[in-house]
Amino acid sequence: MKTMTFAALLAVSALAQPATAETLKKVPVALNPAKAYILIEYRQLENPMADFPGSRKTLPLTTGLSFAHYDPVLGDIRGLGKASANPLPSKTPATEYFRNREIVRGDGARLHLLEVDPDTWVIQAWGTTSFSLGSYSFKAEAGTVTDLGVVEGASDWAEGDHAMTGGGLMKMALLGPFGKRPAVAPMRASIRPRTATDMAIPAELATAQIKPVEFTKGATFGNYLGGLVNRIEGVNATAKEAK
């Protein structure tokens, strides 16, 4: 009886809580018409230690994009900073953090499907790097799947810096406290439309209303994550391309 009562209380509590975004483990039998969906393919990052004996070519996908409710008029994440006058419903989190749950695994790629509330969303970060200096916002409409395409993260290295290699790691270990500390770089993200050579959209989504994303560039907001900051395209990468 106690177990049943506790389960009943959990069920009532769940109904009372506002629905938050969810990274799905598989395509649902039927999409919720009151929800919006975000489809995104991640390319796994190259392993900078690939030259180290026994190392893999790519890194496990342990981090990725975070999304946040965005007010394009006030120019900030809803309920925060300049957009504090446009709060979210009580107990609804402003940010949907990355969760490593894919619906399809491919060779060096992972396909994710997120169920979110219909709203204007902004790509807030990759891991602990906030794209508050300039990012992309987009609308996710009820009953539709917004296809963000294919995203690949990369370190936004400053001129002269680079990721530590296997040889550099061994040298640092040999030199101990006298070794050069590895450089640190913020992340950046490259996003492109899906092509025929990318992962196929699951057959379970064949009847879904899938729309290619329409990004609005130049979205800025406060750095509420407290980590490194960058533009989504990368400040350093953009400067190098300009040269």
Side-chain angles (χ1 to χ4, degrees), residues 175-201:
L175 294 175
F178 301 101
K180 183 180 179 181
R181 297 294 96 184
V184 177
M187 293 296 294
R188 60 185 176 90
S190 300
I191 304 177
R192 61 171 175 79
R194 188 180 308 282
T195 67
T197 60
D198 295 315
M199 297 182 73
I201 295 177

Side-chain angles (χ1 to χ4, degrees), residues 66-155:
S66 295
F67 301 92
H69 294 268
Y70 188 69
D71 188 320
V73 176
L74 297 177
D76 213 334
I77 293 172
R78 284 186 59 186
L80 301 174
K82 294 185 291 184
S84 57
N86 183 17
L88 290 161
S90 176
K91 297 183 181 180
T92 299
T95 298
E96 160 61 13
Y97 294 100
F98 174 82
R99 287 194 291 272
N100 194 8
R101 299 175 185 171
E102 70 276 345
I103 57 171
V104 181
R105 284 192 173 207
D107 183 17
R110 301 289 185 267
L111 193 64
H112 287 218
L113 182 66
L114 284 72
E115 182 182 88
V116 301
D117 290 328
D119 201 353
T120 297
W121 290 81
V122 69
I123 300 176
Q124 184 181 11
W126 179 291
T128 58
T129 298
S130 171
F131 296 140
S132 57
L133 299 181
S135 189
Y136 304 157
S137 63
F138 61 95
K139 290 184 178 179
E141 300 176 352
T144 66
V145 178
T146 301
D147 185 4
L148 265 61
V150 182
V151 61
E152 187 169 358
S155 297

